[in-house]
Amino acid sequence: MSEVYAARRTKLRERCHAVGSESALISRPANVRYLAGAAPKGSVLLLGRTEDVLVCLDPPDDRAGEGRPDETLRLQTLPGSGGDPAVAAVDLASMQGIDALGVEEHHLTVARHRAIRSVAPRLHLADLGAAVEQLRVVKDEEEISCLRIGAEIADQALGELLESILVGRTERHLALELERRLVDHGADGPAFPTSVATGPHSGRRAHHPTDRRVEEGDFLSVCLGATYRGYRCEIGRTFVIGTSPADWQIELYDLVFAAQRAGRESLAPGAAYRDVDRAARQVLDCAGYGESLPALTGHGVGLEIDEDPQLAPAAMGKLDACVPVTVEPGVHLPGRGGVRIDDTLVVRPEADGGPELLTITTKELLAL
Amino acid sequence: MSEVYAARRTKLRERCHAVGSESALISRPANVRYLAGAAPKGSVLLLGRTEDVLVCLDPPDDRAGEGRPDETLRLQTLPGSGGDPAVAAVDLASMQGIDALGVEEHHLTVARHRAIRSVAPRLHLADLGAAVEQLRVVKDEEEISCLRIGAEIADQALGELLESILVGRTERHLALELERRLVDHGADGPAFPTSVATGPHSGRRAHHPTDRRVEEGDFLSVCLGATYRGYRCEIGRTFVIGTSPADWQIELYDLVFAAQRAGRESLAPGAAYRDVDRAARQVLDCAGYGESLPALTGHGVGLEIDEDPQLAPAAMGKLDACVPVTVEPGVHLPGRGGVRIDDTLVVRPEADGGPELLTITTKELLAL
């Protein structure tokens, strides 16, 4: 794996040169992990002139899912409550004779920036912007394989839940049960707080589970994901409780399903982000739900659950092959409930069979 | 409750005047919640000249545990993916004729600071520093009551676990089981990731649960906490598995217990933070464990699990009445394991009976 991390750092170095720096200080945890293999709490990565150094508060731990630092990196730990790793990294940069350093201004706080300036007043600090986030958009097959395993775990957890009795159980219990099953099946943990929404709550994005119990006739929307080796996937499904869904439930379900399928089918290398969003959105828009739609209908996933690209009306850019994204349109009718359907897929060229669906739980409307 | 939030904002206004601002932009989520009653994701609070405004991405939700915004605040939401609430708040500040604004430089990123500057180039931005964090140190009885309920919930969850069979179960399962029980008993959720450490892992601070199973003869350290109405408490205990602890286990336990008691007993209004730390630390130091001790032996708790004060050798300041802190010394022997004992207490004057212990689970060495 060392070569992978070293190759990523080489790519970043090339980007640094473009902003006039020969070196970089990476502080955003997911970016540190991407480039170093691990991101112990508070750690920063110095891409130096003579060597790259991972500066940590404490020695890296072999904790489940935290990753292991690339062995070709030098590790430096700060003893005890030994101050700010970013400041220590800047000290190292000075010792390496570095005079221009790229930093992540979208992550670095003003106070930390000032502390860096005060220990190295002559060091030129340039903004790297989202350079590392951009590198992270296209995944390699190793990364996709972690997402695939995470998706299998989420499918398993969801499948088991569907076999159990649901009526009478609370949203909070169902969410905890799902998270336990994720871990049972080998996840590092949930990829994000599991959402279980019943009845009038159903169909809401990121609904926080409450003490409401599942009732006959409810829509039940579930959204969960597993983290596997740091990589986070997402699946969302909506079910109906009881033997026969109401007509409005079937109609709404079919509509959201059609929107989600349209989004999925538009995934292809070269497709504009906004066109994927529009494909899903216009189905709901034409049916009169345009006003209440969420700001985006999908997003990238990887080391973070919500990363670039954003599939939204004003998003700029085009999909590449090997970009994993969610497609997750939904409609929520206040007071009644609604439907969300959410898959994680990997963009693949037509020649390779088109988009690869990672979350394979059925999208038929199941009556449970 | 409105009066409480308004009074907190009045106090902060007085601090603002001290740094030359008549108004403030609060962005750190726990600080927003402290002053506004709720902190919807991405929201910021403008303490304005003519009115205070909570600027949110989406309308506040009645989600469990998220709190409700103070009704005397004006709410402003940004439609759709409508940009940065901090920038919108600065626009409002300009409309109110504000020319100097206090900001939280330890939370605001360089990029956000720049965005604010570019929309209001003449606005003077001053650093508020940790003004809100300082206000948060001393709790009112309402806040302490939330912590007390959270501690009861954590005690209940832990007590139930101790009645179950432990041998053969993994750290990860025990941790999930505890978190489920926290929610069962009414917690908003865990206050931090529950730590369960067996055998050679025992005694490590913030150990991330693994697939190791509990074995006869192990030390078992558990650290958990409940969030109740946003307030987070912490309890840690160490047990021994099997009928008869080994001599080294009893000795180590007694030692850590003595250190933890010394720390607890030194809690009093006016006691220096470092003296509380020293009281606990020197017991372990004298026994020869000085080298391997953690950087702090306790910390404040409240809306965040790790807030001011820090009970550490170099900490400056003195305890006040009504400050809740943890006292949590521990010793970990690499390869063998160790002991941590952790309580949440509220500093109270002698006349009121001295420190109030919130986490009341026994600290006898239980053999399970």
Side-chain angles (χ1 to χ4, degrees), chain B residues 188-248:
Chain B
D188 307 336
F192 53 90
T194 298
S195 178
V196 175
T198 61
H201 301 152
S202 59
R204 290 167 78 181
R205 186 167 201 256
H207 171 74
H208 190 296
T210 71
D211 289 325
R212 189 182 182 283
R213 291 176 192 278
V214 176
E215 293 175 13
E216 285 285 329
D218 275 356
F219 265 141
L220 170 69
S221 330
V222 174
C223 189
L224 74 158
T227 307
Y228 185 77
R229 297 196 181 163
Y231 284 82
R232 293 162 196 267
C233 67
E234 185 173 324
I235 177 172
R237 292 290 185 269
T238 299
F239 311 100
V240 74
I241 304 297
T243 43
S244 51
D247 288 347
W248 74 273

Side-chain angles (χ1 to χ4, degrees), chain A residues 170-343:
Chain A
T170 70
E171 292 174 355
R172 294 218 273 188
H173 276 100
L174 292 174
L176 283 164
E177 167 91 9
L178 282 166
E179 295 192 354
R180 187 179 64 75
R181 290 186 185 277
L182 290 173
V183 174
D184 275 354
H185 289 293
D188 308 337
F192 54 89
T194 298
S195 177
V196 174
T198 61
H201 302 153
S202 59
R204 289 166 78 181
R205 187 167 200 254
H207 172 72
H208 191 297
T210 71
D211 289 325
R212 189 181 183 284
R213 291 177 194 277
V214 177
E215 293 175 13
E216 285 286 330
D218 276 357
F219 265 141
L220 170 69
S221 323
V222 175
C223 188
L224 74 158
T227 307
Y228 184 78
R229 296 198 182 161
Y231 283 82
R232 293 163 196 265
C233 66
E234 185 173 324
I235 177 172
R237 292 289 184 268
T238 300
F239 311 100
V240 75
I241 304 296
T243 44
S244 51
D247 288 346
W248 74 274
Q249 290 179 317
I250 296 172
E251 277 163 33
L252 190 61
Y253 192 91
D254 287 348
L255 180 72
V256 174
F257 178 76
Q260 205 255 357
R261 187 177 52 202
R264 278 187 282 122
E265 290 179 350
S266 68
L267 293 176
Y273 301 152
R274 58 170 65 174
D275 291 342
V276 177
D277 176 73
R278 191 190 304 128
R281 189 176 296 269
Q282 72 185 3
V283 174
L284 303 176
D285 218 357
C286 294
Y289 296 111
E291 293 294 297
S292 57
L293 297 185
L296 50 81
T297 54
H299 54 79
V301 296
L303 289 169
E304 291 172 292
I305 190 56
D306 191 357
E307 52 180 57
D308 291 331
Q310 301 288 302
L311 305 180
M316 301 290 288
K318 291 180 176 180
L319 288 172
D320 280 309
C322 300
V323 175
V325 294
T326 66
V327 177
E328 47 172 313
V331 170
H332 174 256
L333 309 176
R336 299 181 79 187
V339 177
R340 293 188 65 78
I341 304 174
D342 184 352
D343 279 312

Side-chain angles (χ1 to χ4, degrees), chain A residues 61 105 114 173 184 204, chain B residues 61 105 114 173 184 204:
Chain A
D61 202 339
E105 292 194 350
R114 182 164 295 150
H173 276 100
D184 275 354
R204 289 166 78 181
Chain B
D61 201 340
E105 292 194 349
R114 182 164 296 148
H173 276 100
D184 275 352
R204 290 167 78 181

Side-chain angles (χ1 to χ4, degrees), chain A residues 22-39:
Chain A
E22 54 189 333
S23 52
L25 176 67
I26 305 301
S27 54
R28 187 171 177 177
N31 291 345
V32 173
R33 179 155 186 177
Y34 182 74
L35 298 166

